[in-house]
Amino acid sequence: MPSNKIVVVGAGVTGLTTALLLSKDSSNDVTVIAKHMPGDTDIEYASPWAGASYLPFGAKGSQNAEYEQATWPPLRDLAQNNPESGIHFQDITVQNRLKDQQTVTGKWAAELTSSSPWFKDLMPNFRNLPADQLPPGIDNAQTFTSVCINPAIYLPWLVTQCMKGGCVLKRAVLSHIADAADAHHSGVKADVVVNCTGLGSRKLGGVTDGQVHPIRGQILMVRNDPGSMTTISGSDDGSEEVAYIFPRAAGGGTIIGGTYQKDNWDPLPDPNFANRIMQRALKLDPRLVKPGQGVEGLDVIRHGVGLRPGRTDGVRIEKDQVNGVKIVHNYGHGGFGYQVSWSCAEKAARLVSEILLQKDRAKL
Ligand code: FAD
């Protein structure tokens, strides 16, 4: 009988990956509780809106870069061995304009758009494009092979893997993180609660982290498939507007974006942004439509907006204690939650093990 009672709060990519890793230890008995579950679409639930690509943004030597580096092997292996998880390999071309260096999107993508990023030896087939192959206005460009994830398949796949490991999933809306300890499916008080509530950590009682903020991303999903991914450092449409094209795995359509609007909570797709996103996407990769076509050649499935769970000081993964309840936090993954998911979940699971070890020692 598993003896460790654990409640994971949150069923986005962070909560589900953390629950999955915890469930691999047969002494753990894991409940996942969340307001939103895979299949839901809600502005407060970031995971379904993601591209979701693996494009490292973490600066050289930073903790984010470490998280990204350590998450590449599991994502690569899933694309290789478990295509049913909704992950496929995709080549990407990254274009850089030096004039974007000081813009919001240019700073965000500085490492990604560098001609010599830390991941140049990590990503398969990395190469800089020769100067005579650069599109007009582009100062440098790189190509490599990465992955693109279809969250509509990947999130349910994570659920099935969690269930195989014995996790029980339940709907619940918490007003205080300590209340999660009473939500374990066994009815016994949980030994540890893992907080994976993303943007919810801003308002959740016992956490109320003022560093957590939304970074609005507006996107379109289209049926058109250009055959590979493309992105660029910025645009001439404004500091917070950029262009990217991510064909998702397994018939998931192609995500074209987007915006990177800090502290903007607007849940409704703005038609002006949508128009500019389509124009930029066509400029970035004309293969999206047939020769001679304009935006009318885009076959739109839906418009959408997601709020990236940003955090001023970066991801928070640490132990805490609230009202006597042992907590491990794992939230604040901004626009990179998928590409750090496995390493952040591993770190959170390690902290849970440390707490459980202390509990066992206290019993001796
Ligand atoms: P969420 O997915 O938001 O999940 C939070 C969970 O906590 C939900 O289940 C919610 O219901 C639950 N919850 C919150 N509060 C409570 C409460 N009080 N009680 C109970 N449950 C609660 N990342 C990448 O790696 N690659 C990309 O290409 C990429 N593209 C993106 C594009 C867009 C447009 C957007 C919006 C995001 C993108 N991201 C990308 C970022 C990525 O989506 C997020 O970092 C990631 O989804 C965060 O996951 P999470 O599980 O931490 O949070």
Side-chain angles (χ1 to χ4, degrees), residues 9-15 33-36 44-47 49-53 172-174 196-198 200 204 217 219 244 246 306-309 333-339:
V9 190
V13 67
T14 308
I33 60 169
K35 182 175 178 187
H36 304 100
E44 290 174 26
Y45 186 29
S47 294
W49 300 108
S53 62
V173 183
L174 290 183
C196 303
T197 55
L204 181 59
I219 50 130
Y244 56 82
F246 298 156
L307 300 180
R308 303 172 180 94
H333 303 80
F336 47 87
Y338 283 82
Q339 61 198 37

Side-chain angles (χ1 to χ4, degrees), residues 64-360:
N64 268 8
E66 276 175 37
Y67 290 146
E68 286 168 338
Q69 184 169 9
T71 296
W72 171 246
L75 293 181
R76 178 202 59 203
D77 292 352
L78 285 174
Q80 187 92 53
N81 306 319
N82 299 88
E84 74 281 6
S85 63
I87 305 186
H88 68 167
F89 288 113
Q90 282 282 282
D91 289 336
I92 169 98
T93 303
V94 177
Q95 300 181 0
N96 188 33
R97 312 185 310 172
L98 293 177
K99 66 177 177 180
D100 295 325
Q101 266 174 347
Q102 294 312 317
T103 66
V104 172
T105 61
K107 286 185 195 162
W108 173 42
E111 188 71 32
L112 175 67
T113 53
S114 152
S115 58
S116 184
W118 61 262
F119 54 84
K120 65 182 190 311
D121 298 322
L122 179 72
M123 303 310 290
N125 308 316
F126 184 96
R127 72 182 175 96
N128 284 289
L129 288 189
D132 62 357
Q133 286 180 23
L134 297 176
I138 300 302
D139 296 295
N140 63 280
Q142 298 75 242
T143 67
F144 53 91
T145 303
S146 185
V147 292
C148 190
I149 302 166
N150 180 354
I153 293 180
Y154 186 60
L155 296 172
W157 180 82
L158 285 174
V159 169
T160 60
Q161 302 308 300
C162 287
M163 291 176 74
K164 272 188 193 169
C167 295
V168 173
L169 290 94
K170 299 198 297 180
R171 295 263 182 179
V173 183
L174 290 183
S175 52
H176 197 283
I177 189 67
D179 295 344
D182 298 319
H184 194 271
H185 64 271
S186 63
V188 174
K189 197 172 175 81
D191 300 300
V192 191
V193 167
V194 190
N195 171 29
C196 303
T197 55
L199 198 54
S201 287
R202 186 182 164 92
K203 290 188 196 147
L204 181 59
V207 185
T208 54
D209 186 342
Q211 289 195 36
V212 174
H213 55 266
I215 306 169
R216 182 180 182 276
Q218 182 167 331
I219 50 130
L220 284 90
M221 185 193 280
V222 298
R223 292 189 179 84
N224 311 58
D225 183 354
S228 64
M229 303 194 286
T230 316
T231 191
I232 186 169
S233 51
S235 75
D236 295 329
D237 293 332
S239 177
E240 297 178 321
E241 295 187 51
V242 72
Y244 56 82
I245 302 168
F246 298 156
R248 283 176 166 178
T254 295
I255 297 297
I256 63 174
T259 65
Y260 195 82
Q261 300 164 274
K262 218 176 144 199
D263 295 318
N264 187 324
W265 292 86
D266 186 358
L268 299 176
D270 178 321
N272 295 312
F273 278 123
N275 185 32
R276 294 200 290 273
I277 288 170
M278 291 190 280
Q279 300 284 357
R280 289 197 298 269
L282 253 60
K283 198 170 161 216
L284 191 62
D285 192 344
R287 295 176 306 164
L288 262 173
V289 293
K290 293 195 181 110
Q293 284 185 322
V295 291
E296 77 286 356
L298 288 173
D299 189 354
V300 178
I301 301 167
R302 77 165 105 100
H303 295 258
V305 174
L307 300 180
R308 303 172 180 94
R311 186 167 182 272
T312 312
D313 281 354
V315 180
R316 182 180 183 202
I317 308 178
E318 63 184 12
K319 294 184 222 171
D320 194 4
Q321 182 156 330
V322 181
N323 297 353
V325 174
K326 308 269 190 202
I327 316 267
V328 171
H329 297 288
N330 184 7
Y331 66 85
H333 303 80
F336 47 87
Y338 283 82
Q339 61 198 37
V340 297
S341 53
W342 287 87
S343 53
C344 288
E346 260 168 34
K347 185 170 175 180
R350 229 174 13 250
L351 297 181
V352 170
S353 302
E354 286 174 19
I355 292 174
L356 293 170
L357 203 66
Q358 279 173 355
K359 178 196 86 166
D360 291 344

